[in-house]
Amino acid sequence: MKRHHWWRDAVIYQVYVRSFLDSTGDGVGDLAGVRTGLPYLKKLGVDGVWLSPFYPSPQHDHGYDVADYRDVDPLFGDLAEFDLLMADARRLGLKILLDVVPNHCSSEHPWFRAALAAPAGSQERARFHFAEGRGPDGAEPPNNWHAMFGGPAWTRTDDGQWYLHMFTPEQPDWNWRHPEIPAEFEEVLRFWLDRGVDGFRIDVAAGLFKHPELPDSDDPEADARTRDSVNPLAWNQPEVHEVWRRWRAVCEEYTARDGRERLLVGEVSVPTAREHAAYVRPDELHQAFFFDLLGAPWDADAFRKVVSEAMRDIAGTGSTLTWVLNNHDQVRTVTRYGEPAPGGSGLGAARARAAALLMLALPGAAYIYQGEELGLPEVVDLPDDVLTDPVFHRTGSRARVRDGCRVPLPWSGQASPFGFTTGVEGVRTWLPQPDYFAEYATERALADTRSFWHLYRDGLQLRASLPQLGDGDGTLRWLDTEPGVLAFTRGDGLVCAVNFSTAPTTAPVPGTPLLASGPCPAGELPGSTAAWWLADL
């Protein structure tokens, strides 16, 4: 039974729109494709859908470079199609969250184009971070900051000034100290709230404000996508919390009108759980992704430490926890945990299945990245000439390239495009699908009761029906176990146990499990397996 605050234990499915389902035959997913796939997501059992950016954009960073925050890029449809999607989602009882990008915009945004056309010191430039360069002729950047996608964080304009971009030169950072910026984004929120959306995923939610003096960094190559090496001068500035208080007030205003709660969930990358907790205070964000579980190595002690710190420092404040194992920026779980084998087998697949049951048993909310329910592996052999990630083009390195987790989903059939796009002769998907995707197609997964898909569906059904799961009473109690095994109870007698080793061990409680990530005889917990039991403890 769901709590009054639906978002506290919601399971949200992340749709990377361009890779979900294509309705037009151009090889790129779109909003009509998302609408076609909504019944599939309802059948899976999720509570809502987070849509990646579909706004007008030159697509230098696949939509995270926004040129117009109040429209739909023709690549993905139009506002009429968005309204149809909203109507279908409402009919199916699915929430819709939009991805909003407030830290930066596209270099083709009208306000940035106006800034380039205006002189130094103008109000148009004050909306961004323009500064004079250093050195006798201003030929050196204003400070030593590095961009998160590689290279310097500054680009020089034709008139000699420099502008700041913490990602790519095509993504200039907004100056949130300029009064027009917070006012503009409040109007953006209202535009989409008026169209019925249920909330927003906030990109770079710990960003926005930079140190007002833009001083040099002690660690100029700090990678703000790695939580332990954030540039504190460009990240997690105290003023950002007032923005989230104001956005929360806007959402509460809409809730007061009709009783329907709107959700704010932030991409918050900060060094500690205690700092994370500051973003989910009662008057700020409802949720913030807790990435430590995603980043933990496959080790029982590491997982226990991550969960314990989150329970103490975040849940202990009364906030909900928001768990993730994957997203559009990370290597897919199956590959991250070990080399996958054909047909969704192998150690990586076994661990990914176990991790899914662990995540779904934890108190709080959970987010599932598209394709995880199919057990999709990372596509690691994409040739250089098809890579689109700006990280690759800025650095020349494949080390952090994200294209491998963004390859279009396989739906049916034995050959590309695997039902992803219409039957137009010779159509190619925007990233090539490997032949082995046939083994992971949705059609095949639905027909196989042993598949990842059925494990997720069964886990979601139990999570929705058992009062101990989801938000439950918000508590978790660890059980004493053998080394390499993690076990805890939720509420009245629900036990979750995970065997992180490859060797079988005795189950922590007797009896046949309610659900297991692999074959699990009564009284035994095989290696790389998770299971749930109801027990009288």
Side-chain angles (χ1 to χ4, degrees), residues 87-110:
D88 281 8
R90 189 76 61 229
R91 178 177 56 81
L92 290 168
L94 292 171
K95 310 290 187 183
I96 296 292
L97 308 182
L98 303 192
D99 208 323
V100 64
V101 188
N103 180 74
H104 49 267
C105 65
S106 165
S107 55
E108 295 187 16
H109 190 286

Side-chain angles (χ1 to χ4, degrees), residues 12 26 53 64 125 141 188 262 299 305 315 422 429 436 445 531:
I12 305 295
D26 64 358
Y64 286 92
R125 291 201 172 184
V188 168
R262 276 70 167 186
D299 176 82
K305 181 177 185 291
T422 56
T429 56
Y436 62 76

Side-chain angles (χ1 to χ4, degrees), residues 254-426:
Y254 277 78
T255 297
R257 295 180 189 177
D258 58 16
R260 186 162 59 86
E261 290 185 297
R262 276 70 167 186
L263 168 65
L264 297 174
V265 54
E267 182 193 31
V268 172
S269 298
V270 290
T272 68
R274 291 185 184 276
E275 289 172 282
H276 178 110
Y279 285 82
V280 287
R281 288 177 285 202
D283 62 343
E284 294 193 38
L285 303 178
H286 301 82
Q287 298 176 343
F289 297 126
F290 189 64
F291 293 119
D292 292 51
L293 194 67
L294 185 160
W298 184 255
D299 176 82
D301 291 340
F303 269 63
R304 179 165 179 158
K305 181 177 185 291
V306 163
V307 173
S308 295
E309 289 181 354
M311 293 297 298
R312 181 192 68 209
D313 296 336
I314 302 173
T317 69
S319 172
T320 187
L321 280 158
T322 307
W323 305 100
V324 292
L325 286 171
N326 205 256
N327 61 39
H328 64 290
D329 288 332
Q330 304 296 329
V331 173
R332 283 198 176 274
T333 313
V334 166
T335 303
R336 201 169 70 242
Y337 288 149
E339 285 298 318
S345 61
L347 189 59
R351 290 172 171 176
R353 290 170 66 93
L357 282 195
L358 169 66
M359 179 181 71
L360 293 177
L362 292 171
Y367 283 68
I368 301 169
Y369 178 51
Q370 67 178 39
E372 291 291 291
E373 82 284 5
L374 301 176
L376 279 182
E378 185 85 353
V379 181
V380 298
D381 55 355
L382 293 169
D384 287 358
D385 62 355
V386 305
L387 294 178
T388 64
D389 193 337
V391 173
F392 174 71
H393 295 289
R394 292 275 291 169
T395 66
S397 169
R398 298 176 65 102
R400 291 170 45 210
V401 169
R402 301 164 294 169
D403 285 330
C405 70
R406 300 176 176 184
V407 174
L409 295 184
W411 290 86
S412 60
Q414 297 299 313
S416 184
F418 297 112
F420 168 75
T421 191
T422 56
V424 178
E425 186 69 25

